Amino acid sequence: MKSLLYALALSTALTVPAMARPVTLTTNMNSYGGDGAYLALYVTDAQGAYQGSLWLAGGKSKYYTHLSDWYRATQGNPAEINGITGASVGAGRQLKITLDLADSLFDAGYELHIDASVEDMRDSPSEVVVPLTTQGMGQPVPGRRYIRDFTYDM
Amino acid sequence: MKKYLIAATFVTGLAGLGTMGMALADDDDCRVPMADWQPRDAVQNMAEAQGWTVRRIKTDDGCYEIKGRDAQGREIEVKIDPGTLAIVEMEYDDDDDDDDDRGGRDRNQTPTGTGQPPANGLFVPGSKPGAVVQ
């Protein structure tokens, strides 16, 4: 029994780091002078086809239509964001997300998108689009409207 | 000329009223004939299948409305189409009672690191994402 446990622990230790990559996604907001921003962080393949969501900041689903690229891909399906929703992000604030991502997402042509939306202000779909590469880690990417910069890092 | 102006004003006014009517129509209402409504038990079963704890089921704007908690224990308020039982609108409730205010940033803070992410192939199975707004 003990040897079985050792074997299990060893195999877990050997296999998990090869599959998992603990990643921190940091989004710094501009001081745009409005209410808290709703943000959708999601992944597409190189052709732009939606693969899945990583995080949705903003608690009320009736506003998700304003995250227009994300909404077009998902129809706002709650199953897409179950367990990965949080509060909206105020102007000048920072959203830091930590998650274990599949290793296969990096250097394989996948792109991370961020759609942003602020009440009574213009929607900003795909405000950030950044290829997921090991080289791009730690490199801040500027946003267009509400996001000052976005960085993914280990 | 005067007649033309009056007519033009009238037509513009009507068009304006029409636009206003469209703007006032709520897109989260349900319009299902009563004969096609599914029973309350079906709503309860649907909610339990999602892992929700139901506190109350009522009708609002022609939809079923469920109040309770989701599988992660967060307060939810979900509008359900009474015919198809599809989710029309889902809100993670907080102490913000103003439906039209999407501010409330800090009040609807999701507990982090407690939810299981969706099985979309992006996350490592069993991992628990977390987020902090600073």
Side-chain angles (χ1 to χ4, degrees):
Chain A
M1 182 62 190
K2 210 171 177 183
S3 58
L4 182 69
L5 280 175
Y6 278 133
L8 196 64
L10 187 67
S11 64
T12 309
L14 285 176
T15 53
V16 168
M19 294 164 54
R21 196 176 284 234
V23 178
T24 304
L25 310 176
T26 307
T27 311
N28 292 306
M29 307 303 292
N30 279 320
S31 298
Y32 51 80
D35 280 347
Y38 273 43
L39 303 175
L41 288 86
Y42 57 100
V43 174
T44 67
D45 66 12
Q47 284 73 46
Y50 172 82
Q51 302 296 305
S53 298
L54 297 177
W55 194 261
L56 202 140
K60 296 193 173 179
S61 65
K62 65 165 139 188
Y63 299 121
Y64 292 170
T65 52
H66 294 276
L67 301 163
S68 42
D69 281 356
W70 176 84
Y71 194 86
R72 195 177 305 116
T74 63
Q75 300 302 305
N77 181 2
E80 293 287 336
I81 48 167
N82 196 11
I84 49 169
T85 56
S88 55
V89 189
R93 308 278 293 271
Q94 180 190 70
L95 171 67
K96 191 172 264 198
I97 305 163
T98 49
L99 22 84
D100 287 336
L101 288 184
D103 217 12
S104 55
L105 283 176
F106 292 87
D107 301 314
Y110 291 107
E111 291 181 326
L112 189 150
H113 292 239
I114 308 179
D115 285 12
S117 167
V118 176
E119 188 168 20
D120 296 331
M121 296 175 86
R122 280 179 67 175
D123 295 344
S124 187
S126 294
E127 160 137 8
V128 169
V129 181
V130 56
L132 290 171
T133 62
T134 42
Q135 246 186 351
M137 286 197 172
Q139 312 279 337
V141 178
R144 281 199 323 266
R145 188 175 296 273
Y146 305 112
I147 297 170
R148 191 173 77 226
D149 58 55
F150 168 76
T151 313
Y152 61 97
D153 214 341
M154 301 235 335
Chain B
M1 182 63 185
K2 201 172 176 184
K3 264 186 193 170
Y4 173 76
L5 276 178
I6 291 170
T9 311
F10 185 64
V11 168
T12 314
L14 278 182
L17 276 177
T19 315
M20 200 167 78
M22 277 189 288
L24 289 174
D26 220 344
D27 57 2
D28 52 13
D29 291 356
C30 304
R31 290 174 189 82
V32 178
M34 283 307 289
D36 298 334
W37 277 50
Q38 298 213 33
R40 227 163 242 262
D41 287 350
V43 182
Q44 178 82 32
N45 292 340
M46 173 269 186
E48 284 170 7
Q50 305 271 348
W52 301 339
T53 310
V54 177
R55 192 172 65 249
R56 186 179 179 199
I57 298 173
K58 63 171 189 169
T59 57
D60 187 28
D61 295 333
C63 310
Y64 276 120
E65 186 177 286
I66 299 171
K67 289 192 175 195
R69 290 186 181 275
D70 70 2
Q72 283 84 46
R74 285 179 289 175
E75 274 292 313
I76 52 169
E77 192 175 300
V78 191
K79 271 190 181 178
I80 305 287
D81 183 294
T84 63
L85 300 187
I87 297 172
V88 176
E89 184 188 321
M90 183 159 180
E91 289 181 7
Y92 292 97
D93 223 3
D94 43 52
D95 55 358
D96 172 18
D97 288 325
D98 182 357
D99 270 359
D100 294 325
D101 171 24
R102 63 167 136 159
R105 284 146 292 287
D106 298 320
R107 292 172 296 204
N108 62 359
Q109 181 80 48
T110 305
T112 56
T114 54
Q116 290 289 335
N120 56 16
L122 306 182
F123 298 96
V124 173
S127 65
K128 288 180 177 176
V132 182
V133 177
Q134 294 167 340

